[in-house]
Amino acid sequence: MHTPTRGGRNLTEQRGELVRKSYLGPDAEVRLATEWTALVGLRGRFPAPLPAMGTDRGLLMRFVPGVPGHVAVEAGLADRVLALCGRLRLELDSVEVAGLSGSGVVVHGDFGPQNLLVTPTAEDVVAVVDWEWCRLGDPVEDLAWAEWTVRVHHPAAVCAVEAMYAAYGARPAWSARWDAMMAACLRCRDFCERGGNAAGVASWDERIARTATFRDR
């Protein structure tokens, strides 16, 4: 099956108790190495898939059963899912992972309901997946991207974003959140452009224009 990335798609295949992820597009080797580093560093300290093996062709991880967070949002559990996002981001603030680029705290890089696996009633998280964009930075990057994801893909649930900030214990200034949203969108556009994905570039141009009109709630 193909799984989305912030600027394209990867190939993910389940093989029994293992999942094989192959990285497509620019910087594939770097993204593979980044996800391996993140999963090894988070093992036993934060809910994430257990790494089994990293090769030059892909990454093997233990299969994690769970309900995709975005499915739970659409099922009417947005408040619970977003509260989990806030709680997880708060936990991640104090987790250290060696070998990541940047400076600051661990940032997932594609944080939000789309990369959460939760229990059927969204009472708890099973795992946070897709760590290929992980780095050290500012937690507002993850919070803003989760908010952006809800605004764009789940507009009927946008009020649930407040549950995320309540669980996190802080609501970053709108200027910082908007800047982070725009910066992330521009990185996604650049990824598509470097990969020769004209349709992706056009899609991100539309999203960038839309994001520019966002206002604080």
Side-chain angles (χ1 to χ4, degrees), residues 174-184:
W174 169 242
S175 59
R177 285 152 48 211
W178 186 86
D179 285 347
M181 291 179 195
M182 290 294 289

Side-chain angles (χ1 to χ4, degrees), residues 176-194:
R177 285 152 48 211
W178 186 86
D179 285 347
M181 291 179 195
M182 290 294 289
C185 287
L186 289 168
R187 285 193 293 269
C188 292
R189 185 193 186 283
D190 175 70
F191 181 84
C192 290
E193 186 170 48
R194 289 189 294 116

Side-chain angles (χ1 to χ4, degrees), residues 196-214:
N197 182 353
V201 171
S203 177
W204 282 107
D205 280 340
E206 293 177 1
R207 290 172 177 176
I208 289 166
R210 180 178 176 185
T211 304
T213 68
F214 286 176

Side-chain angles (χ1 to χ4, degrees), residues 79-156:
D79 283 333
R80 293 183 181 180
V81 174
L82 270 295
L84 288 175
C85 286
R87 191 195 82 190
L88 289 163
R89 184 54 261 180
L90 183 61
E91 290 180 13
L92 200 55
D93 283 0
S94 59
V95 175
E96 296 183 3
V97 175
L100 296 175
S101 63
S103 61
V105 302
V106 176
V107 171
H108 178 273
D110 193 6
F111 190 70
Q114 73 280 8
N115 280 322
L116 261 61
L117 294 175
V118 301
T119 56
T121 57
E123 295 285 353
D124 203 357
V125 65
V126 177
V128 181
V129 301
D130 288 343
W131 292 84
E132 65 190 270
W133 303 103
C134 184
R135 63 188 182 282
L136 301 180
D138 191 320
V140 71
E141 299 175 55
D142 279 349
L143 293 167
W145 194 245
E147 178 179 347
W148 182 92
T149 299
V150 174
R151 284 179 180 247
V152 172
H153 297 292
H154 311 284

Side-chain angles (χ1 to χ4, degrees), residues 16-53:
E17 295 183 356
L18 295 178
V19 172
R20 178 185 177 87
K21 181 175 180 180
S22 301
Y23 300 76
L24 308 179
D27 310 320
E29 292 183 359
V30 174
R31 289 184 285 122
L32 188 162
T34 297
E35 186 151 17
W36 173 260
T37 297
L39 294 182
V40 169
L42 293 167
R43 183 166 44 194
R45 304 163 64 203
F46 190 82
L50 291 174
M53 181 183 298

